[in-house]
Amino acid sequence: SQTIHQWPATLVQPVGSPLSLECTVEGTSNPNLYWYRQAAGRGLQLLFYSVGIGQISSEVPQNLSASRPQDRQFILSSKKLLLSDSGFYLCAWSFGFGDTEAFFGQGTRLTVV
Amino acid sequence: KNQVEQSPQSLIILEGKNCTLQCNYTVSPFSNLRWYKQDTGRGPVSLTIMTFSENTKSNGRYTATLDADTKQSSLHITASQLSDSASYICVVRGSNTGKLIFGQGTTLQVKP
């Protein structure tokens, strides 16, 4: 069976500090990978998605970047955090085509202070 | 641009009442559509999937409908319970990219 791991669960970082959130998937090959952000009381906003190693698509201009160094590893990064980067970050994976089911990690609550 | 629009944005109902959530999409070609439930602070969990040939599907007190001609789907919740309080999200797979397109969700609050 497939599993997705996302860490850390919560993070408090000062403005201007770097960020690295990691997500790994087990039990499947060549998944589509996604990073979403959810501001308080808002819906899911797609930040990045990847259909393969080194293939990253950015949905919105922002202070964040993503990388996929291995098939089942997806990393969300920032060199200098802004207050507006605070939010709930979710990693997800899906099969490449066909079914629309996405499997989500437990999320990271990021607070930039 | 492929989009998924949900309405209402938020909804408050009394325990035991029914409600219907709407999802309109412009994604084409269409493969299938899913409804998710997201509890506060958790990742979304799938409720039901609707394929092109299906018009209605039930999962307990949840019933989803799909009209592929008008590109509309609805999620009907009967005899609501306090535990139904959550965000409900509609998602459609993007045309030929494999990307999942999520609606903004409807936040449902069930009050006693």
Side-chain angles (χ1 to χ4, degrees):
Chain A
S1 62
Q2 303 91 358
T3 56
I4 180 170
H5 303 280
Q6 181 183 346
W7 67 92
T10 59
L11 192 61
V12 179
Q13 292 283 97
V15 170
S17 64
L19 173 73
S20 180
L21 302 181
E22 189 163 344
C23 173
T24 60
V25 180
E26 297 177 357
T28 188
S29 296
N30 197 32
N32 281 6
L33 296 172
Y34 310 81
W35 276 111
Y36 289 92
R37 177 170 59 200
Q38 189 171 38
R42 304 292 298 276
L44 291 170
Q45 179 187 35
L46 179 61
L47 300 176
F48 301 96
Y49 79 100
S50 170
V51 298
I53 296 175
Q55 300 178 60
I56 310 293
S57 295
S58 175
E59 290 297 299
V60 294
Q62 58 201 304
N63 183 42
L64 302 167
S65 62
S67 62
R68 185 170 178 173
Q70 300 180 38
D71 181 44
R72 291 168 290 180
Q73 184 184 29
F74 206 24
I75 298 172
L76 183 68
S77 303
S78 173
K79 292 182 179 178
K80 290 184 178 181
L81 283 169
L82 305 172
L83 288 174
S84 58
D85 291 325
S86 294
F88 188 54
Y89 289 82
L90 283 161
C91 178
W93 76 271
S94 73
F95 292 105
F97 288 91
D99 193 354
T100 41
E101 183 156 22
F103 303 90
F104 287 83
Q106 286 302 297
T108 297
R109 173 73 59 191
L110 172 66
T111 304
V112 182
V113 296
Chain B
K1 181 179 179 181
N2 291 324
Q3 287 191 324
V4 179
E5 302 282 345
Q6 290 186 243
S7 62
Q9 185 175 359
S10 62
L11 184 61
I12 300 174
I13 62 174
L14 294 176
E15 187 178 12
K17 298 296 185 182
N18 304 334
C19 67
T20 300
L21 315 179
Q22 298 290 343
C23 174
N24 297 337
Y25 61 93
T26 60
V27 179
S28 183
F30 169 76
S31 174
N32 51 65
L33 177 152
R34 275 186 184 268
W35 283 93
Y36 287 78
K37 178 185 179 185
Q38 185 183 19
D39 293 315
T40 301
R42 305 295 298 274
V45 175
S46 177
L47 287 175
T48 184
I49 179 173
M50 303 295 292
T51 61
F52 183 84
S53 60
E54 294 176 312
N55 298 118
T56 184
K57 182 180 287 186
S58 293
N59 178 8
R61 293 180 297 103
Y62 301 103
T63 299
T65 65
L66 174 66
D67 186 335
D69 292 331
T70 61
K71 295 184 169 55
Q72 295 179 326
S73 177
S74 67
L75 181 68
H76 186 72
I77 304 174
T78 59
S80 61
Q81 301 175 359
L82 297 178
S83 59
D84 292 331
S85 296
S87 290
Y88 292 84
I89 303 168
C90 174
V91 60
V92 181
R93 184 174 291 280
S95 53
N96 293 311
T97 66
K99 182 178 68 175
L100 299 182
I101 301 174
F102 281 70
Q104 288 298 299
T106 293
T107 300
L108 173 64
Q109 185 176 1
V110 180
K111 291 192 170 183

